[in-house]
Amino acid sequence: MEHSVNRIVDETMSNPGVAGVMCVDEKGLCLSSKGKLNSRVAGLISGITQQASKLHSDIDRMPVVALESDSGSILIKFKDRVTVAVHKNL
């Protein structure tokens, strides 16, 4: 699993405008992190998706959470037991 997570992080980082990527397990453990997303916030990222999951009872329709600021946005999505956060510059 580690190899596939690192591959996904590397592929995502190669997209234009992406400044950071983090993958977090269901317990808040950082599986992989690159760029501007610091592994110290892994538990917070996991907690955000846990709270957002309460908006939908269907696990296949998990919401994407977008946090926006003047410097960019962070998109957070839970899928296949892993939370992925992507930091994009404006």
Side-chain angles (χ1 to χ4, degrees), residues 17 69-73 88-90:
S69 72
D70 292 338
S71 63
S73 63
K88 295 188 81 174
N89 289 325
L90 287 181

Side-chain angles (χ1 to χ4, degrees), residues 26-55:
E26 293 172 297
K27 296 182 180 180
L29 176 69
C30 180
L31 301 173
S32 183
S33 179
K34 281 197 175 183
K36 287 189 174 182
L37 289 173
N38 191 314
S39 62
R40 289 181 288 160
V41 299
L44 295 172
I45 298 290
S46 178
I48 289 170
T49 58
Q50 289 172 11
Q51 294 301 314
S53 71
K54 295 176 182 178
L55 298 172

Side-chain angles (χ1 to χ4, degrees), residues 6-87:
N6 288 332
R7 182 180 49 81
I8 290 168
V9 168
D10 290 338
E11 287 176 8
T12 305
M13 280 296 294
S14 68
N15 289 312
V18 174
V21 180
M22 180 185 299
C23 292
V24 181
D25 74 2
E26 293 172 297
K27 296 182 180 180
L29 176 69
C30 180
L31 301 173
S32 183
S33 179
K34 281 197 175 183
K36 287 189 174 182
L37 289 173
N38 191 314
S39 62
R40 289 181 288 160
V41 299
L44 295 172
I45 298 290
S46 178
I48 289 170
T49 58
Q50 289 172 11
Q51 294 301 314
S53 71
K54 295 176 182 178
L55 298 172
H56 288 285
S57 59
D58 183 3
I59 193 79
D60 294 326
R61 296 185 57 216
M62 294 293 290
V64 174
V65 177
L67 305 172
E68 296 183 356
S69 72
D70 292 338
S71 63
S73 63
I74 299 174
L75 304 173
I76 306 169
K77 172 81 173 169
F78 178 81
K79 184 167 173 88
D80 298 330
R81 299 174 49 196
V82 175
T83 297
V84 178
V86 178
H87 182 241

